[in-house]
């Protein structure tokens, strides 16, 4: 019996529709997002930073080498601290050589001991929350309730077989993207929809487990290759759309797990899909809670979609069912 586990991992932090215009000409961003062929479109209240007065920022920065501010999203408000000593140690940069610039949606850290000032670290709001959720940049302190800020209404799930997600969603006109921007209302009074609509670019990490339950199973002992990645991507789209019922997906794949271009008809018996990020997606009918690196870890679980091709069943297993 062949079972596969597929996990969705972000290749880049979530960006707003507006921010997509800023980064689409950046070669590094293009390269990163080009690793994705599966994308989500979601929405949440516009998130922004709130700082003390310029005088207080200046005083704290020079005395304590810390930047303290609030992250605000709708009715959620949480304090965050950037420790500049730890940040400079992380990047091997002299702490006395840096300066900062702050704005409502972006923080930049600038190295001044160069012929031209050089930005070597920066944060959009979602980049800050993303980095905090990953936990690798330990100079981001507090914001322990980051998962509350990493919760989105999910509008659409899409794939791009012949192009990358970058080409399909950002570079070229995308019908659903335009429909969402046209039809959705801002969740924050005074905000623009373009600042609330968010794009998520995923790659799929896959692994296979084989169980030898009967003699004929040993005939497949040497077959260790996974299926064509395009089939996995097509199957993932159908699994998520059929289970979570996103409002802007016109085709609901009600016949799934049967399909022409997915994994139906392959030699896989069972498989699952989960999101390997500390992120939550919500639709009118369900919520989908992801946890980073949750697989096989006790007391840390992601919601996951389970498919049994032998029984022709699809089921969403909720994380609370494991409590």
């Amino acid at each position: 019996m062949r079972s596969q586990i597929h996990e969705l991992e972000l290749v880049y932090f979530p960006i707003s529709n507006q921010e997509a215009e800023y980064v689409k000409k950046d070669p590094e961003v293009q390269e990163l997002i080009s690793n994705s062929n599966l994308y989500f479109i979601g929405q949440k209240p516009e998130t922004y930073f709130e700082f003390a007065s310029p005088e207080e920022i200046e005083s704290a920065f020079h005395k304590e080498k810390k930047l303290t501010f609030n992250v605000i999203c709708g009715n959620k408000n949480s304090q965050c601290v950037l420790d500049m000593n730890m940040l400079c140690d992380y990047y091997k940069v002299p702490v006395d050589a840096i300066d900062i610039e702050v704005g409502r949606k972006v923080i930049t850290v600038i190295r001044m001991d160069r012929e031209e000032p050089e930005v070597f670290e920066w944060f959009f709001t979602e980049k800050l929350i993303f980095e905090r959720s990953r936990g690798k940049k330990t100079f981001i302190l507090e914001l322990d309730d980051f998962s509350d800020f990493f919760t989105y209404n999910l509008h659409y799930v899409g794939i791009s077989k012949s192009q990358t997600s970058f080409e399909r969603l950002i570079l070229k006109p995308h019908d659903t993207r335009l429909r969402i921007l046209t039809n959705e209302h801002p969740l924050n009074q005074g905000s623009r929809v373009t600042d609330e609509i968010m794009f998520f670019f995923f790659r799929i990490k896959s692994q296979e487990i084989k169980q030898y339950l009967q003699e004929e199973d040993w005939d497949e002992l040497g077959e260790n290759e996974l299926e064509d990645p395009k089939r996995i991507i097509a199957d993932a789209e159908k699994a998520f759309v059929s289970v979570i019922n996103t409002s802007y997906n016109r085709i609901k794949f009600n016949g799934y797990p049967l399909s022409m271009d997915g994994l139906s008809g392959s030699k896989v018996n069972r498989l699952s899909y989960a999101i390997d990020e500390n992120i939550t997606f919500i639709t009118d009918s369900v919520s989908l809670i992801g946890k980073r690196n949750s697989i096989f870890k006790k007391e840390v679980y992601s919601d996951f979609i389970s498919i049994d091709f032998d029984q022709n069943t699809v089921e969403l297993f909720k994380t609370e069912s494991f409590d």
Side-chain angles (χ1 to χ4, degrees), residues 6-140:
H6 303 286
E7 293 184 296
L8 276 61
E9 179 182 63
L10 289 170
V11 301
Y12 196 67
F13 63 87
I15 58 175
S16 70
N17 183 75
Q18 181 63 60
E19 290 162 349
E21 292 300 308
Y22 303 152
V23 302
K24 71 179 184 181
K25 295 183 180 180
D26 187 321
E28 291 185 10
V29 176
Q30 290 186 33
E31 182 177 356
L32 287 170
I33 299 180
S34 293
N35 292 313
S36 167
N37 293 90
L38 174 67
Y39 55 89
F40 289 6
I41 302 178
Q43 184 177 5
K44 72 171 182 178
E46 182 183 8
T47 307
Y48 57 93
F49 302 132
E50 184 179 72
F51 300 94
S53 68
E55 293 77 19
E56 291 175 295
I57 293 174
E58 185 77 11
S59 176
F61 177 70
H62 288 290
K63 289 181 180 178
E64 303 174 13
K65 295 301 180 183
K66 291 182 179 180
L67 176 65
T68 301
F69 54 96
N70 290 328
V71 181
I72 299 175
C73 176
N75 60 3
K76 296 183 283 289
N77 188 328
S78 187
Q79 182 170 283
C80 184
V81 177
L82 293 181
D83 187 310
M84 295 301 165
N85 283 303
M86 296 174 66
L87 183 149
C88 288
D89 184 63
Y90 182 90
Y91 286 107
K92 309 302 181 188
V93 173
V95 69
D96 293 331
I98 69 167
D99 199 358
I100 55 172
E101 292 182 357
V102 300
R104 189 171 183 268
K105 301 293 290 287
V106 65
I107 298 167
T108 55
V109 186
I110 308 165
R111 188 165 182 172
M112 306 300 292
D113 60 342
R114 293 287 189 267
E115 290 187 14
E116 295 290 336
E118 175 189 347
V119 174
F120 69 95
E121 179 60 287
W122 58 277
F123 295 102
F124 285 157
T125 54
E126 302 308 295
K127 182 175 186 287
L128 178 82
I129 301 165
F130 173 73
E131 298 286 12
R132 178 66 183 85
S133 76
R134 288 287 185 92
K136 291 184 177 180
K137 294 189 174 179
T138 54
F139 52 82
I140 305 174

Side-chain angles (χ1 to χ4, degrees), residues 26-289:
D26 187 321
E28 291 185 10
V29 176
Q30 290 186 33
E31 182 177 356
L32 287 170
I33 299 180
S34 293
N35 292 313
S36 167
N37 293 90
L38 174 67
Y39 55 89
F40 289 6
I41 302 178
Q43 184 177 5
K44 72 171 182 178
E46 182 183 8
T47 307
Y48 57 93
F49 302 132
E50 184 179 72
F51 300 94
S53 68
E55 293 77 19
E56 291 175 295
I57 293 174
E58 185 77 11
S59 176
F61 177 70
H62 288 290
K63 289 181 180 178
E64 303 174 13
K65 295 301 180 183
K66 291 182 179 180
L67 176 65
T68 301
F69 54 96
N70 290 328
V71 181
I72 299 175
C73 176
N75 60 3
K76 296 183 283 289
N77 188 328
S78 187
Q79 182 170 283
C80 184
V81 177
L82 293 181
D83 187 310
M84 295 301 165
N85 283 303
M86 296 174 66
L87 183 149
C88 288
D89 184 63
Y90 182 90
Y91 286 107
K92 309 302 181 188
V93 173
V95 69
D96 293 331
I98 69 167
D99 199 358
I100 55 172
E101 292 182 357
V102 300
R104 189 171 183 268
K105 301 293 290 287
V106 65
I107 298 167
T108 55
V109 186
I110 308 165
R111 188 165 182 172
M112 306 300 292
D113 60 342
R114 293 287 189 267
E115 290 187 14
E116 295 290 336
E118 175 189 347
V119 174
F120 69 95
E121 179 60 287
W122 58 277
F123 295 102
F124 285 157
T125 54
E126 302 308 295
K127 182 175 186 287
L128 178 82
I129 301 165
F130 173 73
E131 298 286 12
R132 178 66 183 85
S133 76
R134 288 287 185 92
K136 291 184 177 180
K137 294 189 174 179
T138 54
F139 52 82
I140 305 174
L141 307 178
E142 301 189 34
L143 194 61
D144 295 329
D145 54 349
F146 60 83
S147 59
D148 292 341
F149 294 82
F150 234 26
T151 300
Y152 305 84
N153 298 330
L154 183 59
H155 293 315
Y156 182 76
V157 174
I159 62 171
S160 181
K161 294 182 181 179
S162 60
Q163 303 169 313
T164 67
S165 295
F166 185 86
E167 294 169 316
R168 181 73 183 92
L169 187 59
I170 294 181
L171 287 186
K172 298 182 178 181
H174 189 281
D175 176 67
T176 305
R177 175 184 176 182
L178 296 176
R179 285 195 294 123
I180 292 171
L181 289 168
T182 301
N183 295 323
E184 291 302 312
H185 297 280
L187 303 175
N188 255 3
Q189 185 175 0
S191 293
R192 303 178 303 173
V193 175
T194 189
D195 292 313
E196 294 188 345
I197 298 300
M198 308 299 302
F199 303 146
F200 308 84
F201 304 98
F202 291 104
R203 71 182 184 99
I204 299 179
K205 302 182 297 181
S206 304
Q207 59 181 295
E208 181 165 292
I209 301 172
K210 288 186 178 181
Q211 296 173 282
Y212 300 103
L213 304 178
Q214 49 196 0
E215 186 174 347
E216 50 263 35
D217 290 338
W218 289 93
D219 295 337
E220 298 181 6
L221 182 62
E223 297 182 13
N224 294 316
E225 293 187 2
L226 292 166
E227 275 60 38
D228 181 349
K230 290 183 179 180
R231 292 187 68 182
I232 295 174
I233 291 165
D235 197 83
E237 177 195 30
K238 293 171 176 60
F240 279 96
V241 171
S242 67
V243 169
I244 60 183
N245 193 26
T246 43
S247 56
Y248 281 87
N249 281 94
R250 291 170 173 169
I251 301 173
K252 301 297 184 180
F253 303 112
N254 294 324
Y256 182 81
L258 299 178
S259 66
M260 296 295 293
D261 58 347
L263 295 177
S264 174
S266 70
K267 293 183 179 181
V268 179
N269 303 93
R270 297 173 183 172
L271 57 87
S272 66
Y273 295 101
I275 296 178
D276 188 26
E277 299 289 351
N278 295 300
I279 193 168
T280 297
F281 292 108
I282 300 171
T283 68
D284 291 338
S285 55
V286 300
S287 65
L288 194 65
I289 300 171

